[in-house]
């Protein structure tokens, strides 16, 4: 049945396959939990009870809010700093010659390796965690923005120059619009790295947050709380990525930014 150009039968099939996948996954999880026992591998019901316990005293929502705040703030600041830096490195060849080797060297050092140094430099408060996420975001967005600038066709730049456009106008009206999809891809990729960075920081130097919940649960041998934390992380990342993708599709579609959910093959 086709109503308004939408294949309803195909839509219901997709929903059915998705539900079937999740039911099979939960069934396999429960089966493995029965084999190994709840102390080693808590099942869905046991994990749900642990989640309800954490929700009842407000701990879970508080930790989710704290971790989300840290990630969003560090990720936003890192993206805002990285985009102009990437544009400058890509546009100015003299800067690129110096900066590109440094970027390709330091980007292979994971954010977790800097936790101790950041604690020494910025203290054990919020600043060190925000700076760690900023670091995790910065290089991914810079490199994607740089790649976007270098991929702009030279013919477009020459055409703009031939019509009397200044270098600033070329950047504003040619390079930036062509680079937006690369920037957006870098921003989305950096979100995943930001979550990894904050979990590492919260495990080592925090008494709040989802990472702290996962790490501290080992002291009480509460594997169900660990699973609750892992599930919360997955949901936080999934919902944030979907929100960013939707926002990008709505605001940046004219620049060629699309959401993967809108693609059909």
């Amino acid at each position: 049945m086709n109503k308004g150009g939408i294949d309803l039968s195909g839509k219901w099939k997709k929903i059915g396959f998705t539900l079937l996948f999740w039911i099979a996954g939960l069934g396999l999880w429960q089966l493995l939990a029965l084999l190994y026992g709840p102390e080693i591998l808590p099942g869905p019901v046991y994990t749900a009870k642990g989640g309800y316990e954490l929700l009842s005293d407000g701990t879970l929502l508080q930790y989710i809010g704290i971790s989300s705040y840290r990630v969003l703030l560090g990720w936003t600041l890192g993206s805002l700093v990285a985009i102009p830096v990437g544009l400058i490195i890509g546009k100015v060849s003299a800067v690129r010659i110096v900066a590109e080797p440094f970027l390709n060297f330091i980007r292979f050092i994971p954010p977790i390796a800097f936790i101790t140094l950041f604690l020494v430099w910025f203290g054990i408060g919020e600043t060190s965690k925000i700076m760690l996420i900023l670091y995790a975001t910065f290089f991914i967005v810079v490199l994607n923005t740089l790649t976007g600038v270098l991929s702009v066709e030279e013919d477009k730049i020459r055409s703009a120059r031939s019509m009397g456009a200044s270098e600033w106008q070329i950047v504003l009206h040619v390079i930036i619009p062509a680079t937006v999809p690369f920037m957006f891809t870098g921003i989305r990729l950096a979100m995943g790295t930001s979550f990894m960075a904050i979990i590492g920081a919260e495990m080592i130097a925090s008494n709040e947050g989802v990472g702290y919940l996962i790490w501290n649960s080992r002291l009480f041998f509460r594997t169900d709380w660990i699973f609750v934390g892992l599930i919360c992380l997955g949901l936080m990342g999934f919902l944030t990525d979907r929100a960013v993708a939707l926002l990008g599709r709505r605001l940046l579609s004219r620049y060629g930014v699309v959401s993967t959910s809108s693609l059909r093959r």
Side-chain angles (χ1 to χ4, degrees):
M1 179 179 178
N2 193 302
K3 185 178 181 180
I6 301 175
D7 186 1
L8 296 180
S9 62
K11 182 179 179 180
W12 283 111
K13 284 181 180 179
K14 182 179 178 181
I15 294 174
F17 280 127
T18 302
L19 289 174
L20 184 63
F21 172 81
W22 282 106
I23 291 172
L26 290 172
L28 179 61
W29 180 9
Q30 182 62 51
L31 178 61
L32 292 173
L34 292 174
L35 291 174
Y36 291 100
E39 294 80 11
I40 303 298
L41 181 63
V45 176
Y46 198 77
T47 301
K49 289 180 180 178
Y52 178 76
E53 185 179 347
L54 292 170
L55 280 171
S56 298
D57 62 6
T59 301
L60 186 59
L61 292 179
Q62 179 188 1
Y63 286 176
I64 290 174
I66 291 170
S67 294
S68 298
Y69 164 77
R70 290 167 175 168
V71 168
L72 291 175
L73 181 58
W75 170 73
T76 301
L77 292 175
S79 299
L80 290 176
V81 173
I83 288 174
V85 171
L87 290 171
I88 293 171
I89 295 174
K91 185 69 175 64
V92 183
S93 58
V95 176
R96 185 167 64 252
I97 292 172
V98 176
E100 195 170 14
F102 173 75
L103 289 175
N104 285 313
F105 167 77
I106 199 169
R107 72 186 179 95
F108 289 104
I109 304 176
I112 295 177
F114 280 99
I115 289 179
T116 304
L117 283 175
F118 278 31
L119 290 174
V120 173
W121 293 341
F122 304 108
I124 61 173
E126 293 297 305
T127 304
S128 59
K129 300 172 184 62
I130 301 302
M131 292 302 296
L132 189 69
I133 298 170
L134 190 153
Y135 169 84
T137 301
F138 179 81
F139 292 99
I140 295 176
V141 179
V142 163
L143 287 171
N144 275 271
T145 304
L146 170 61
T147 302
V149 174
L150 296 178
S151 68
V152 177
E153 296 177 6
E154 187 65 27
D155 289 345
K156 294 182 178 179
I157 297 176
R158 289 175 180 172
S159 297
R161 284 202 183 106
S162 68
M163 290 185 287
S166 64
E167 291 301 314
W168 171 250
Q169 289 174 323
I170 291 173
V171 170
L172 191 62
H173 298 291
V174 178
I175 293 177
I176 290 180
T179 309
V180 166
F182 292 85
M183 297 177 188
F184 188 73
T185 299
I187 288 171
R188 288 187 67 182
L189 291 173
M191 175 64 71
T193 309
S194 299
F195 272 98
M196 289 189 285
I198 191 57
I199 294 307
E202 288 177 346
M203 283 182 173
I204 295 174
S206 181
N207 56 3
E208 295 174 312
V210 179
Y212 169 77
L213 170 65
I214 294 173
W215 184 248
N216 197 50
S217 297
R218 82 195 193 284
L219 299 176
F220 307 99
F221 208 68
R222 292 296 302 265
T223 52
D224 55 331
W225 288 358
I226 295 175
F227 269 75
V228 170
L230 295 174
I231 292 171
C232 288
L233 280 177
L235 288 174
M236 289 162 60
F238 175 80
L239 294 176
T240 305
D241 182 72
R242 288 295 172 133
V244 172
L246 179 62
L247 189 65
R249 190 180 68 202
R250 293 286 177 85
L251 300 180
L252 304 174
S253 59
R254 62 175 178 168
Y255 298 110
V257 173
V258 297
S259 172
T260 52
S261 61
S262 67
L263 298 176
R264 297 291 183 268
R265 291 290 185 268

